Amino acid sequence: MRILVLPCDGIGPEIVESSMSVLHAVNDKFSLGLTFDYDDVGFKSLEKYGTTLRDEILEKAKTYDGVILGTQSHADYPVPEKGGRNVSAGFRIGLDLYANVRPARTRPFLTSNMKEGKTMDLVIMREATEGFYPDRNMSRGWGEVMPSPDMALSTRKITRHCSERIARRAFELAMKRNKKVTAIHKANSFHMTDGLFLEAVRHVAKDFPEVQLDDLLVDASTAHLVRSPERFDVLVATNFYGDIISDLASELSGSLGLAGSIMASDVHCAAQAQHGSAPDIAGKDIANPVSMILSVAMLLQWMGEQRGNSNLQAAAAEMDRAVDVVLESPENRTPDLGGKLGTKAFGEEVAKVILG
């Protein structure tokens, strides 16, 4: 099995390197037979090829069993006409990675940002190929226009097909967890678009009678995440809402740097940390690699489920366990968590736990 590794920008190369230390450890321990190829996206690609994301990279990625994608500094890219292509969006559209899976959970040995006594263990299923994002809601062109310098218009696209398939993935996941799905929407204002999404979710729910379905307005959901996070298990949302509430949930649970994430289709999957590229700390060996390590673990879990490979699934579980073992010791945490361990050293400590 082959994995394509794309370190990308900012702290991406550092957290990917740390994750690779852990991945090599489980590769050896569980005899996974994984091989790895590296290539350039982001600023390195822009310098070499004049674009942050080449079409041939997307075609190449389709031939691999999985992709590891580092963080991107999209806000600092030039305009698309000058080669500044959104790498994450390019992968989501190019490989149809419609399911952005974002778990968030508290750990008893780490301080959270929640009310005292509150805990969290949930997964947000975010549709990632349409919605409010103007770079992915048109077959040609861009979803935003400026008829005049003082007027800007944006087009939102919601389809039954994309809404139903992300809903189905959410219900399937809920069947493996606590059998509860919450649909996040704003159908009281967006009658047609969010109304269609909610209708699609309710239609899919009929195929999962064991799963309890409720729904919340997106603004109310933020309040409930703070006040009563224990009410949630699997949340399903359109692109924009899912992006916002997943950052909120992860930060409440302890830190955005502690939450893994994958982008998946029915046949392809890419691991990518939930957070951004943090260029201000790039190259300083102080970035927290946990999100990237856990994202890689989620990639192995996805690959294992797709192939019925129990070794891959066991390796994913071992990566999760080893991260918690290291985090439990305050001296082994990275500076953002009050420790002194560097990015590279953290990955090495996790690898040591795995290899015993």
Side-chain angles (χ1 to χ4, degrees):
M1 291 175 285
R2 301 185 306 150
I3 292 179
L4 179 61
V5 184
L6 306 168
C8 211
D9 305 316
I11 60 172
E14 296 167 80
I15 62 173
V16 167
E17 179 188 11
S18 182
S19 302
M20 294 304 294
S21 296
V22 182
L23 188 50
H24 282 298
V26 292
N27 196 24
D28 291 342
K29 181 173 181 176
F30 293 90
S31 301
L32 300 179
L34 299 175
T35 61
F36 311 100
D37 294 325
Y38 287 73
D39 213 320
D40 294 319
V41 292
F43 277 117
K44 280 193 174 182
S45 176
L46 182 66
E47 184 179 345
K48 289 182 179 180
Y49 307 106
T51 177
T52 53
L53 178 61
R54 295 168 286 149
D55 286 336
E56 49 263 45
I57 285 288
L58 294 177
E59 291 305 310
K60 180 179 179 179
K62 293 176 183 177
T63 68
Y64 282 78
D65 298 285
V67 176
I68 295 173
L69 179 59
T71 53
Q72 63 166 344
S73 298
H74 179 234
D76 299 322
Y77 290 170
V79 294
E81 304 86 73
K82 294 186 178 180
R85 189 176 179 184
N86 185 319
V87 178
S88 294
F91 267 87
R92 287 167 181 165
I93 298 302
L95 274 67
D96 196 28
L97 305 177
Y98 64 87
N100 189 196
V101 187
R102 294 186 161 188
R105 63 180 176 91
T106 50
R107 295 168 172 83
F109 47 82
L110 286 178
T111 302
S112 75
N113 295 308
M114 295 166 43
K115 290 183 178 181
E116 186 176 354
K118 293 292 184 180
T119 60
M120 177 185 289
D121 185 359
L122 56 83
V123 181
I124 294 166
M125 299 292 287
R126 170 195 174 197
E127 203 292 320
T129 58
E130 59 178 22
F132 275 120
Y133 292 77
D135 59 356
R136 65 201 78 172
N137 59 16
M138 295 290 202
S139 63
R140 295 180 66 184
W142 193 260
E144 285 189 321
V145 295
M146 290 189 73
S148 76
D150 300 314
M151 178 188 295
L153 304 174
S154 185
T155 301
R156 182 193 192 197
K157 179 182 74 175
I158 298 294
T159 64
R160 188 180 304 276
H161 168 67
C162 290
S163 298
E164 286 192 352
R165 66 180 181 176
I166 191 64
R168 192 164 296 279
R169 301 294 86 77
F171 279 94
E172 289 169 352
L173 179 61
M175 287 293 292
K176 301 174 184 177
R177 289 174 53 90
N178 297 313
K179 298 183 179 179
K180 182 174 183 180
V181 170
T182 304
I184 306 299
H185 64 93
K186 189 69 174 174
N188 61 332
S189 297
F190 296 98
H191 301 286
M192 296 183 186
T193 48
D194 277 12
L196 177 58
F197 171 75
L198 191 55
E199 179 185 321
V201 174
R202 288 171 174 165
H203 176 73
V204 172
K206 295 176 183 178
D207 293 336
F208 298 86
E210 297 177 59
V211 177
Q212 176 190 349
L213 171 66
D214 67 355
D215 65 272
L216 272 177
L217 298 177
V218 63
D219 44 337
S221 73
T222 62
H224 284 283
L225 279 168
V226 174
R227 184 190 312 135
S228 51
E230 66 278 359
R231 69 168 286 172
F232 297 109
D233 182 33
V234 177
L235 297 84
V236 62
T238 55
N239 207 341
F240 190 50
Y241 303 154
D243 198 2
I244 293 171
I245 62 173
S246 61
D247 278 16
L248 172 61
S250 296
E251 191 62 27
L252 282 171
S253 70
S255 167
L256 200 57
L258 296 172
S261 173
I262 55 169
M263 307 180 296
S265 72
D266 296 334
V267 292
H268 301 294
C269 185
Q272 186 181 38
Q274 277 201 37
H275 55 74
S277 63
D280 56 318
I281 61 170
K284 297 181 179 179
D285 193 41
I286 60 173
N288 183 348
V290 169
S291 180
M292 191 74 250
I293 295 170
L294 294 181
S295 299
V296 173
M298 291 176 68
L299 172 61
L300 294 189
Q301 178 67 27
W302 181 90
M303 291 169 60
E305 291 174 355
Q306 290 290 107
R307 293 159 178 76
N309 187 320
S310 59
N311 273 2
L312 284 167
Q313 295 179 63
E318 179 66 359
M319 289 177 71
D320 273 350
R321 182 193 73 84
V323 165
D324 278 4
V325 168
V326 175
L327 285 176
E328 202 162 356
S329 300
E331 66 275 11
N332 284 338
R333 298 169 189 167
T334 46
D336 60 305
L337 299 176
K340 297 182 179 180
L341 216 57
T343 310
K344 183 177 180 180
F346 185 92
E348 290 171 348
E349 285 299 315
V350 176
K352 287 179 186 175
V353 171
I354 291 169
L355 295 174

